[in-house]
């Protein structure tokens, strides 16, 4: 694929974003809008976090996106039953007319993000319209597909980015001058606001502008892969031809890019360090977490580096043996891919040094929160592997070349809160 993707596909169809009748909580039927929201399903990784959300309100969205019945089939049936009951009881209601939704997030540190929520035509990566940058894990896709089949709903939007600064951005800025449909502040300090765009002229401006754009999947690779699977299962045209997304114009609102860390179950730090002896330079850092992350950032400027934690200290791994990298990293990929920390972690450390299967939940967990990763490693006797984030331009350049990064390589944010607007396929 050339650096512009597939221009012929982009010019022919581009991003096709269409209005829908959003499902939203009736604020009079729940404790508060904040109490029914949740981070995306793959961010809620700790049992205590799940319990906290379930306890916040009996109608918290986590009961749909992460049902807790015993078996996989029971979980999907539970979510479908819960959704039907909430619709019957009026807990969730559909907006009167189809629209696109402007969504804003703002925190106390001056972070501001605005984007448009709608249903986007699902397209294959080969079309060059929606570009993935990470591989996916088939069991996760199968799990999400089962949930969407059972509920016949898109329960939370993916996060996509594009660079436009055109007519769609102008409509967004005009829309936020009007009274919002909802305002709520979640316990993480983010203030969320939502508006609808229903004016035909404004809808046309947004759609026409996006028709010439190309998007990068920032967060939600497994859900996009799920959309593709479900579309293939149904004859077109069908509601499954489209999936719920949040599109953010990063020309106006740049996202934060953070690392996703690894927790290696059953591998004590002492064993991990013993295995890398002579293969990496290893330095013990008796400093707080902030100081260790600073040291990691400095080391990352010179090459691949990682922090290991779990024994009460931090251990900085850097300067890998060049012969080791040459033996373990595939040579038929772009240089930018071969030099990624995530590539070295998965191809060299996990596969060849520690011999840990990357797709086994029994052996490895992927955690966004840095402190939580360290705390769990210390509590469980495992090893936390802390990563330094990849620059966004590297991610986008690889995606345009059609090169996917190792799974869970990046965390773009802020991520949209789940529970503010949903999509039911039959409404």
């Amino acid at each position: 694929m050339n650096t512009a993707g597939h221009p012929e596909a982009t010019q022919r169809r581009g991003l096709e974003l269409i209005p829908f009748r959003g499902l939203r909580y009736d604020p009079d039927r729940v404790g508060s809008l904040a109490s029914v929201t949740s981070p995306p399903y793959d961010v809620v990784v700790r049992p205590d976090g799940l319990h906290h959300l379930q306890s916040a309100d009996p109608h918290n969205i986590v009961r749909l996106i992460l049902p807790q019945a015993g078996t996989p089939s029971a979980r999907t049936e539970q979510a479908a039953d819960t959704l039907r009951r909430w619709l019957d009881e009026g807990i969730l209601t559909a907006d009167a007319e189809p629209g696109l939704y402007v969504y804003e997030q703002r925190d106390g540190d001056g972070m501001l993000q605005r984007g448009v929520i709608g249903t986007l035509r699902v397209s294959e990566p080969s079309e060059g319209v929606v570009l993935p940058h990470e591989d996916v894990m088939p069991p996760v896709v199968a799990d999400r597909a089962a949930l969407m089949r059972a509920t016949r709903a898109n329960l939370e939007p993916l996060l996509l980015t594009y660079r436009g600064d055109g007519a769609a951005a102008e409509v967004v800025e005009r829309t936020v001058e009007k009274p919002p449909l909802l305002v709520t502040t979640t316990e993480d300090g983010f203030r969320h606001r939502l508006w609808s765009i229903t004016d035909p002229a404004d809808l046309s401006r947004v759609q026409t502008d996006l028709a010439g754009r190309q998007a990068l999947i920032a967060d939600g690779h497994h859900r996009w892969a799920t959309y593709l699977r479900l579309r293939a299962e149904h004859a077109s045209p069908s509601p499954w031809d489209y999936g719920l997304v949040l599109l953010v114009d990063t020309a106006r609102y740049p996202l934060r890019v953070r690392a996703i860390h690894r927790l290696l179950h059953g591998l004590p730090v002492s064993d991990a360090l013993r295995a890398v002896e002579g293969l990496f330079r290893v330095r013990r850092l008796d400093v707080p977490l902030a100081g260790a992350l600073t040291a990691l950032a400095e080391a990352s400027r010179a090459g691949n580096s990682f922090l290991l934690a779990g024994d009460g200290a931090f251990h900085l791994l850097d300067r890998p043996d060049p012969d080791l990298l040459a033996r373990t990293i595939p040579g038929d990929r772009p240089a930018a891919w071969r030099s990624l920390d995530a590539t070295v972690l998965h191809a060299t450390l996990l596969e060849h040094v520690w011999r840990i299967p990357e797709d086994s939940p029994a052996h490895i967990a992927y955690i966004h929160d840095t402190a939580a990763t360290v705390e769990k490693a210390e509590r469980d006797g495992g090893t936390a592997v802390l990563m330094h984030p990849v620059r966004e331009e590297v991610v986008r350049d690889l995606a345009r070349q059609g090169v996917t990064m190792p799974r869970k390589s990046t965390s773009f944010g802020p991520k949209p809160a789940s529970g503010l607007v949903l999509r039911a396929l039959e409404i």
Side-chain angles (χ1 to χ4, degrees), residues 67-116:
Q68 293 299 297
T71 65
S73 61
R75 288 194 289 272
T76 58
E77 291 173 10
Q78 180 187 72
D81 291 343
T82 300
L83 179 57
R84 281 192 293 268
R85 185 173 72 253
W86 289 358
L87 289 170
D88 291 342
E89 295 174 354
I91 304 300
L92 288 167
T93 60
D95 285 332
E97 58 183 318
L100 300 175
Y101 295 83
V102 173
Y103 175 49
E104 176 189 277
Q105 294 166 275
R106 186 192 298 265
D107 70 6
D109 297 325
M111 175 70 185
L112 173 64
Q113 178 173 290
R114 290 174 180 151
V116 179

Side-chain angles (χ1 to χ4, degrees), residues 17-20 99-101 116-120 157 243-247:
L17 193 70
I18 65 171
F20 70 107
L100 300 175
Y101 295 83
V116 179
I117 296 175
T119 56
L120 185 69
L244 188 64
V245 305
L246 166 64
L247 273 167

Side-chain angles (χ1 to χ4, degrees), residues 331-344:
D332 60 348
R333 309 296 290 274
W337 182 90
R338 296 198 305 271
S339 64
L340 290 170
D341 287 341
T343 298
V344 174

Side-chain angles (χ1 to χ4, degrees), residues 124-142:
E124 297 285 348
S126 60
E127 295 183 54
V129 177
V130 175
L131 305 176
H133 70 268
E134 287 185 357
D135 294 329
V136 297
M137 293 176 275
V140 178
V141 175

